[in-house]
Structure formats: structure tokens, C-alpha cells
Amino acid sequence: MPADIATLRAAYDGQVRNLVSCIAAVPVDVWDAPSRLPEWSVCELAFHTTEVPNTVVWALLESPVTDKAQTIAQYTAHWRTAAGEIADRERMAARDVGREAVIERHASALATMSAALDDQRGDPVVRARRGPIRLSDLMVTRVDELVVHSLDLSASVTDLAPVVIDRDALGIAVRMLTAILAERVPGRSVEVRVPPYAAVQCIAGPKHTRGTPPNVVELEAVTWVELATGRLAWVDAVDDGRVRASGDRADLSAFLPVLG
């Protein structure tokens, strides 16, 4: 198995353990309460996370393919149009599902994905639900989704200790989301820094080649994930100091969220 897939798998395993530990502690009286995602309950959000590894299993069953792989930015561009369909399907499937059943589903889905990856050699192009993509890139999206929904659960059940975010998983999510921004809004006029994980240049305009670029956006990793996925508004993050933006072009609001 390629080293990058092994690394992605380890990050996935670490984050799913943290997420399941929190799901197990969700009080019964808030299980059916609204989550921070519009029209999703805590139960539906938790159930949805059990489907995250199934995308990999399904893709491996359809593989390998000879199609040209999409980039992660191209692949995830299909998510927005599919959001309604996904939400309807998950709400229907999550009816009357309790915490124990969700935890069992997580264990079963993780075991199935692990077995499928154990049998895999190389890093093929696979046919995932939204088109062809490298297996390693598909795994990146799975790690990202776990990180994002772990943050969603923490924001939805505030009486619990927040879900611990695995450091490696957070780095994978940050690098994925900054890479999408750089691909969709190419250029060298603004540098986005998310230490210690990523720094990318983006947005067309005057090119800066020496020293510190005149337009810099710097922010912490979780803040970037929340901004890039539409959980946090740019103006709010700037106003409360979570985003430090310098330069007259250092405004990303027109390009966010990169996933929605």
C-alpha cells in the first residue's frame, strides 16, 4: 500500500475514534434536537458520518478504471448540487436510529473499509460517486469530511467536551481546502497562511516575488476549516480577530466557502 494512503488511513482511524467517543456521550434528550446544520438533527448528523467510509468501499468495487482522474477541487465541485439529495437520503435512513446503532454502524463500516484497503495495491483511479478520482485523493476527502462533521457535532452539542481533532487529520483537511482555493482562484497576489499546515498563493493580480507578499491572510487551522466549509462568515472571523488580513486585496469573502 502506498505510504500516503497508509498515512491517510491512520489519520482517518484516529479521527473516527474521537468522533465515536463523542457520539457515545451525546445525551439522549438532545439526540433528536437540531444540529447546527440547517434541517439536520444531531441524530441525522451522527448517522451521516457512518456513511463516510462507504464511499471508499463502493469506489473500490467499481475499480480500477482508465478514466482521467479529477482533481479534488473538480470532484468536490459536484457536492453542492448533490447536497439536497444526500440530506433527504440520510434523513430517511436515520429515522428511529439510536446512539448504539450509530456506533455499531461506525464499527462495521470502518471494518469493511479497512478490509477493502488491505486488499488494495497501488493508488488507482477509482470511480467514486461523483466521478473518477485517485484513491488517495478520495481518502483525503473522507478525512476532511470526518474533521468537518466532528466540528459540527461539537457545535451542536455544546454541553459535551468538543470532539478531539486529530492533528494529522486536521492537517490533511487544511491542505485539501487551501489547495482547492488555489486551484479555483489561481494567482499570486494573495498568500493564505494556515500554520503549521499550509501556505498557498491565490487570486490573480500583481505578482510579488521577493519578501513578504503585500496581501496576506493568516488564520488558525480550525478557523480555516470553518470558513472554507461555510460554517463561519468571513466578516465575523475578521471582526473578532480570528482572521488577520493585511493588504487591499486580502479579502477572501468572494471565494468562500470552497465547499458548501
Side-chain angles (χ1 to χ4, degrees):
M1 178 180 298
D4 55 343
I5 294 181
T7 299
L8 291 164
R9 183 174 171 180
Y12 184 97
D13 290 352
Q15 190 55 47
V16 80
R17 284 194 297 269
N18 295 341
L19 175 60
V20 169
S21 293
C22 190
I23 290 173
V26 172
V28 174
D29 60 342
V30 300
W31 185 243
D32 292 317
S35 75
R36 76 161 167 180
L37 298 180
E39 301 182 7
W40 285 61
S41 69
V42 171
C43 168
E44 290 159 352
L45 168 61
F47 180 89
H48 175 64
T49 64
T50 70
E51 292 293 308
V52 173
N54 291 339
T55 298
V56 175
V57 176
W58 185 86
L60 287 173
L61 289 175
E62 298 291 317
S63 302
V65 298
T66 58
D67 308 55
K68 181 181 178 181
Q70 299 174 94
T71 65
I72 292 178
Q74 292 168 335
Y75 181 80
T76 56
H78 302 297
W79 286 2
R80 188 167 298 177
T81 57
E85 168 200 334
I86 294 169
D88 289 344
R89 183 185 68 222
E90 304 295 69
R91 280 195 293 266
M92 180 69 68
R95 287 182 178 177
D96 302 320
V97 174
R99 290 175 308 170
E100 292 73 18
V102 167
I103 293 167
E104 289 173 4
R105 282 179 61 90
H106 260 299
S108 175
L110 181 61
T112 301
M113 184 182 76
S114 296
L117 290 172
D118 284 342
D119 292 337
Q120 184 58 49
R121 297 293 179 269
D123 186 14
V125 178
V126 297
R127 189 178 303 285
R129 288 190 170 101
R130 310 302 163 194
I133 186 172
R134 285 274 170 204
L135 176 59
S136 56
D137 285 344
L138 183 61
M139 283 295 296
V140 167
T141 72
R142 302 303 83 203
V143 174
D144 173 77
E145 191 160 354
L146 274 190
V147 169
V148 172
H149 289 320
S150 293
L151 295 172
D152 287 335
L153 186 63
S154 296
S156 301
V157 189
T158 55
D159 289 341
L160 287 181
V163 181
V164 175
I165 305 299
D166 181 89
R167 178 181 174 84
D168 291 335
L170 181 59
I172 289 163
V174 166
R175 288 188 289 273
M176 168 182 144
L177 295 167
T178 52
I180 292 173
L181 175 69
E183 182 174 330
R184 291 188 181 160
V185 196
R188 292 180 175 270
S189 68
V190 179
E191 184 163 290
V192 179
R193 300 172 179 170
V194 190
Y197 300 113
V200 299
Q201 293 186 341
C202 59
I203 305 176
K207 181 179 177 180
H208 188 79
T209 57
R210 297 183 62 188
T212 300
N215 298 284
V216 175
V217 175
E218 187 163 347
L219 62 169
E220 294 181 350
V222 168
T223 300
W224 169 244
V225 172
E226 299 264 78
L227 277 171
T229 58
R231 272 67 174 175
L232 176 63
W234 172 262
V235 65
D236 294 336
V238 171
D239 286 349
D240 66 18
R242 281 181 282 179
V243 168
R244 298 170 293 284
S246 60
D248 57 6
R249 300 177 65 82
D251 183 345
L252 303 182
S253 58
F255 315 112
L256 297 174
V258 299
L259 297 182

